[in-house]
Amino acid sequence: MSESIKVRLLVVDDEQSIRKLCMTIGNSLGYVCSEAESAETAVARIEQDAPDLILTDLKLPTQSGVELLRQAKATFPRAEVAIMTGHGSIESAVDAMKLGAYDYIEKPFRVEKMRLLLQRMAEKVRLVTENEFLRERVSAEDNLDGIIGSAANIQDVLRMVSRLKDTRTPVLVSGESGTGKELVARAIHFRGAMAQTPFVAVDCGSLVPTLMESELFGYEKGAFTGAMKSKTGLFQAANGGTIFLDEIGELPLEMQAKLLRVLQEREVRPVGSNESHTVDVRVIAATNRDLEAAYRDGTFRKDLYFRLNVVTVHLPSLRERRSDIPVLVHHFLNRYAPGTNLSVTPAAMKSLLQYEWPGNVRELENCIARAVTLGDRQIIDVGDLPPAIRSESDASAPAMVDGSSLSTTALAEMERMTILKVFEQANGDKALAGRMLGISRATLYRKLKRYNISIRAGAQSTQTVSH
Ligand SMILES: Nc1ncnc2c1ncn2[C@@H]1O[C@H](COP(=O)(O)OP(=O)(O)OP(=O)(O)O)[C@@H](O)[C@H]1O
Ligand SMILES: [Mg+2]
C-alpha cells in the first residue's frame, strides 16, 4: 500500500459517543473513516466502502459483533477486525479472536491504547498487501522471462535491462547463439511500462528474401500475383510497441537500405502502395555475428549499424559465467522434472561445469531435458549426459579459466558461494532467494543445512556458521 492510498476505517457501535471518539482517533491518524450504528448498516457499508479496518462493538442491537466479524471476513478476508468489549465479555472476545479478529479492546479505553491498536492493524494490512504485490510481481517476472544468473557479467546485463525497459532507445543485443538474446529482448519490453503494447518478433534469418519486404512493410491488394487483398506488415503490427529483429546480420543489403529508410522517416510504405503510414516502433535487434567486422567488409551497412546500435547489450557466453551453471541446472530441472527431487551427482555436475558449452544456455537446457527423459528419474549421473560433455571431463585438459580442474570440494564450495551471493542479493529473504536460485523451498533448506548457512530474515549480511 503506497503512502497515497489511505487506510479506510469503519466504526460500528450503537453508542454515538463511542463512534465519534473512534472516528476522531482514526481521523487524527489520517484514515478515511465511516460509521454504522448496527450490524445491518455495517454490512452495507462494508460492501460499499471496502474498509481495511473494522472496529466493532461486541454487543450490537440485533446481531452480535462476532456475527458481523464472520460476515466481514467472508466477504472481505483482507480486512482486519477488532472487537470492543464491555465488562465481563472477555470470553466472547476470545471466541472472536479464534474466528480471526485481530484483537479486542476493553471499554472504556484510553485514547492512546486505541491509537496503537489501529496503527498495528493498519501496519498488518499494509504488510499483507505489500507481500501479495511482491509475490505477484516475482511470479509475473518469472513467467515473462526468468533470466537466471548471479555472475557479475549477467548482473550487468540485468541492470541494463532495467535501465532500458522504459525507454524508446534502439538496442542491439549481441552474443553467441543460445546466450539468451531473445529472452533479454523480451525482458526489456515486458518488464517495462510499455508491456501492454505489442511485441513483434521477426527472425530475419528465416524470412524468404523475396517476401521480406511485404512481410515487414505489408502490401496492397494486387501488388503482386497472389495478393488477393492487402495485408498489414509486421512494422505496423508493432506500432506503439517493440519490433524485435532477430539475426539482423542475415538481412540482405537491399533490405538493409529499406529498413534504414523506415527507421529514419518513421513511416512504412506497403509494397504496391503510394501511401505511407507513420509508425512509432522501438527497435531491438539481435545478432550473433560481429556486425562491426561485417560493416568493415561491406556486408552490413555502416549507417544502419549506427542507427540500430545506440546501446549494445552484450550477453556473456556460458563459459564466461560458469558459476551460474549449478543454478541454471536447477532451474531447468524444475522446468523439465517439476515436483520431483531429481538430483545431479557431483561427478555429473563436475562434467557440466567443465564443458565448453558452444551452444551456451540453450545447449545446457537441451542437455538437462535429455537427461530427464533418458535418466532413471532419481539422479542424473555422468552416464545421462551426452558423450561430448562426458568425454570433455575425462580429458585431462582442464577447462577452468584459472587452469585448475574442479574437485568435488571445489564444486560444493562454488555452490555454497552461489547461495551466499544470492541471499545477499535477496537481502535474506528465503522465498525470494529460492526463486532466484530456481530451487524448491525444501531443497533450499537442505542446502542451507548442508552448508551450515544461517540466514536472518531482512539481515544485510548472511553468515556461515562454523562447527
Ligand atoms: N539467463 C538465462 N536464464 C534462464 N534461461 C535462459 C537464460 N539464457 C537463455 N536461457 C534459455 O535458453 C534458451 C535460449 O535462449 P534464447 O533463445 O533467448 O537465446 P538466443 O541468444 O536468442 O539464441 P540464438 O542466437 O540461437 O537465437 C531459451 O530456452 C531460454 O529460455
Ligand atoms: Mg534467438
Side-chain angles (χ1 to χ4, degrees):
M1 195 175 292
S2 77
E3 293 287 336
S4 59
I5 301 173
K6 291 204 166 170
V7 175
R8 310 174 78 85
L9 167 70
L10 171 65
V11 183
V12 191
D13 200 302
D14 51 343
E15 229 176 287
Q16 197 198 16
S17 60
I18 299 278
R19 292 202 304 271
K20 284 275 166 302
L21 175 60
C22 294
M23 300 229 314
T24 310
I25 300 171
N27 283 328
S28 76
L29 288 166
Y31 302 166
V32 178
C33 305
S34 56
E35 58 187 315
E37 73 296 334
S38 68
E40 290 79 3
T41 328
V43 171
R45 280 246 176 277
I46 290 171
E47 275 163 15
Q48 192 186 330
D49 294 345
D52 303 298
L53 314 178
I54 301 169
L55 192 56
T56 176
D57 189 14
L58 184 63
K59 286 205 180 75
L60 291 168
T62 52
Q63 239 177 24
S64 81
V66 176
E67 187 47 41
L68 175 62
L69 162 75
R70 205 197 305 269
Q71 285 186 36
K73 281 279 172 189
T75 41
F76 226 54
R78 201 185 287 166
E80 289 299 340
V81 184
I83 309 274
M84 296 182 279
T85 63
H87 271 309
S89 43
I90 300 285
E91 253 169 52
S92 319
V94 173
D95 285 346
M97 300 281 291
K98 285 186 194 141
L99 283 172
Y102 177 84
D103 206 347
Y104 64 89
I105 185 167
E106 274 181 88
K107 285 198 276 195
F109 48 78
R110 281 189 299 124
V111 170
E112 196 44 35
K113 196 166 175 194
M114 177 58 85
R115 240 181 112 87
L116 283 175
L117 172 65
L118 291 176
Q119 277 177 319
R120 274 191 293 127
M121 283 165 81
E123 178 63 10
K124 176 158 183 218
V125 171
R126 191 182 65 78
L127 280 178
V128 169
T129 316
E130 228 170 58
N131 264 325
E132 257 170 28
F133 170 73
L134 275 180
R135 235 192 336 264
E136 277 166 20
R137 218 178 59 175
V138 170
S139 67
E141 283 181 4
D142 272 0
N143 291 341
L144 289 177
D145 43 66
I147 303 174
I148 306 284
S150 53
N153 47 13
I154 197 81
Q155 286 295 317
D156 287 344
V157 168
L158 289 174
R159 266 191 293 279
M160 285 293 275
V161 169
S162 332
R163 236 176 278 156
L164 291 166
K165 66 185 172 46
D166 297 323
T167 71
R168 303 294 282 165
T169 316
V171 182
L172 182 66
V173 187
S174 68
E176 289 177 17
S177 170
T179 44
K181 297 186 291 296
E182 177 153 2
L183 205 60
V184 162
R186 287 178 186 276
I188 293 174
H189 177 84
F190 287 105
R191 286 190 183 184
M194 289 162 279
Q196 305 305 325
T197 64
F199 176 91
V200 175
V202 186
D203 182 356
C204 302
S206 69
L207 283 179
V208 182
T210 47
L211 295 180
M212 219 173 250
E213 188 177 357
S214 58
E215 284 284 336
L216 287 176
F217 311 132
Y219 55 79
E220 270 309 293
K221 179 179 171 182
F224 47 83
T225 330
M228 310 291 270
K229 51 182 186 191
S230 50
K231 189 179 175 241
T232 321
L234 295 168
F235 259 91
Q236 266 179 283
N239 198 11
T242 304
I243 194 161
F244 173 53
L245 300 172
D246 204 0
E247 311 297 354
I248 189 85
E250 305 303 315
L251 219 55
L253 277 168
E254 188 201 338
M255 277 309 296
Q256 290 178 25
K258 288 185 172 151
L259 175 61
L260 180 67
R261 206 168 319 125
V262 169
L263 298 182
Q264 279 168 341
E265 285 158 23
R266 293 171 180 276
E267 50 182 38
V268 291
R269 188 186 312 159
V271 178
S273 166
N274 304 322
E275 230 178 287
S276 294
H277 305 275
T278 313
V279 282
D280 166 29
V281 172
R282 184 230 326 245
V283 179
I284 304 180
T287 181
N288 54 22
R289 280 176 49 185
D290 182 355
L291 280 192
E292 222 170 293
Y295 84 65
R296 294 228 161 79
D297 69 23
T299 53
F300 202 85
R301 288 184 69 113
K302 189 174 171 181
D303 43 11
L304 179 60
Y305 173 75
F306 283 108
R307 188 158 274 272
L308 292 172
N309 187 17
V310 177
V311 177
T312 311
V313 176
H314 179 71
L315 283 174
S317 66
L318 188 53
R319 58 192 173 281
E320 287 168 301
R321 54 178 191 114
R322 281 182 207 270
S323 59
D324 283 340
I325 291 176
V327 187
L328 281 163
V329 168
H330 285 294
H331 172 67
F332 292 129
L333 279 178
N334 275 345
R335 178 178 297 173
Y336 292 101
T340 61
N341 259 332
L342 206 62
S343 61
V344 180
T345 64
M349 188 60 95
K350 183 176 165 187
S351 299
L352 295 170
L353 277 159
Q354 288 190 336
Y355 182 59
E356 280 296 290
W357 299 110
N360 296 292
V361 184
R362 174 174 294 116
E363 190 182 5
L364 176 64
E365 179 174 355
N366 291 343
C367 166
I368 299 300
R370 177 183 181 274
V372 166
T373 321
L374 300 181
D376 65 2
R377 297 224 144 227
Q378 298 278 312
I379 50 164
I380 291 181
D381 206 351
V382 183
D384 301 314
L385 304 176
I389 298 174
R390 252 181 278 162
S391 58
E392 194 143 337
S393 71
D394 294 341
S396 50
M400 289 304 287
V401 200
D402 64 358
S404 66
S405 72
L406 272 174
S407 65
T408 312
T409 351
L411 234 164
E413 180 58 19
M414 197 175 246
E415 188 172 55
R416 196 180 67 88
M417 292 305 290
T418 307
I419 294 174
L420 283 173
K421 219 152 74 185
V422 165
F423 262 106
E424 221 170 87
Q425 278 161 9
N427 199 18
D429 181 336
K430 283 193 181 117
L432 183 60
R435 275 194 294 269
M436 286 168 74
L437 287 159
I439 58 180
S440 73
R441 219 185 168 78
T443 312
L444 179 64
Y445 279 101
R446 239 187 350 263
K447 287 194 187 295
L448 291 178
K449 219 161 142 192
R450 176 162 159 217
Y451 295 126
N452 281 317
I453 299 173
S454 88
I455 307 289
R456 276 174 294 126
Q460 289 298 326
S461 63
T462 307
Q463 41 181 289
T464 310
V465 181
S466 50
H467 296 278

